[in-house]
Amino acid sequence: AVADAGHHLKYWSFERSPPGSAWTSRLTFKRAVEMRSTLVDLAQFGDAARADPFAARSGLLNLLDGRDVVLIWVESYGRASFDNPLYAPTHLETLRVAEAEIADAGFAMRSGWLTSPTAGGQSWLAHGTLAAGLWTGDHGRYNAMLVSGRKWLFHYAQDAGYRTAAIMPAITVGWPESSAMGFDLVIPAADIPYRGERFRWVTMPDQFTLAVYDALLPPAPRPDFLQLALISSPAPWTPIARMVPWEDVGDGTIFNEMAAEGPTPKALWADRDAVREAYGRSVDYALRVAFAHVARLGDEAPLVIVAGDHQAAGFVAGSDNKDVAVHMIGPDHMLERIAHWGWTDGLIPAGDGPVRRMDTFRDDFLGAFSSPAVS
């Protein structure tokens, strides 16, 4: 058994495999090694969770001057939108048009790159990584983060006097883990008054979410620090919504005809080229509505962060790269506070611009919008 296990697990090698098979022994030993590695990783992760450079700081986020902050997640939006010839011509043109509209509205823009811990799905790993400042690349680390007591960006916003809320149109069941994330208020799909037809598993199109979320928040004397997780652009990318005039959004029934269009996921996914084409159109829709919403914000507009959560699956994205685009939009004097990040002016980040892991964002944001620590 020892000879067989060591031979097949590459601890040593014989000219021929030993007689018989010790498959169970091999599996048991392999799982024991993996368990030991996991325990070591979780211990190191726990140390990182406790080593919070901002835990003892007070007066954080004071340089936001009480301005609302909105973090908008765009599903499956990554570097493929910029360097894959199947998508770049369309998506770059959409970004250029949005950039001009947002500039006309009087806002500045800066854009950069973050490396996501995931690709092809599991958006919550990216959400946790960015907001908690910990690399949660698997469910073991994600669960450890939830019970670690680590302060998320939203906890620090609460400490700074903000009301925090998550608008989550994909949440259709209980979400008890949100209690560890620093939200005062969670608005799931059931509390968003969409009366239109579902887009299969997608509960509502992104334009509806963006059109109504502000009205769902009860009046409050505090400024808002919000997370919106848009859901029109995850797989399977059928059916695909189209923009309508904002004044016609109404209760969402205007989208009913669109929700009945397109092939079934099974039919679409029988043709990989068709999947890629649908992906490109779906992300383009999400980008158009997200930035059109930003351009419509008034003089008291919030500081807006629009971020991709992860790349699509490799055969769709065209690579195994995990970089996503992130944009910050707001008054020019606010964006000057992130000038040292090296991000690109506008909505199209330089292809060779700096790339940082997504778990650096929390600390970078807290540092940029807080007065320096007094030693």
Side-chain angles (χ1 to χ4, degrees), residues 5 16 36 39 79 103 112 164 175-176 187 242 251-252 263 268 355:
R16 296 180 181 178
R36 180 180 182 278
L39 291 173
R79 197 180 277 267
T164 59
W175 194 32
I187 300 177
R242 296 182 298 277
D251 64 359
L268 176 67
V355 181

Side-chain angles (χ1 to χ4, degrees), residues 24-37:
T24 301
S25 298
R26 282 185 244 155
L27 181 63
T28 301
F29 182 79
K30 185 178 179 180
R31 291 292 180 264
V33 171
E34 291 172 346
M35 183 178 295
R36 180 180 182 278
S37 176

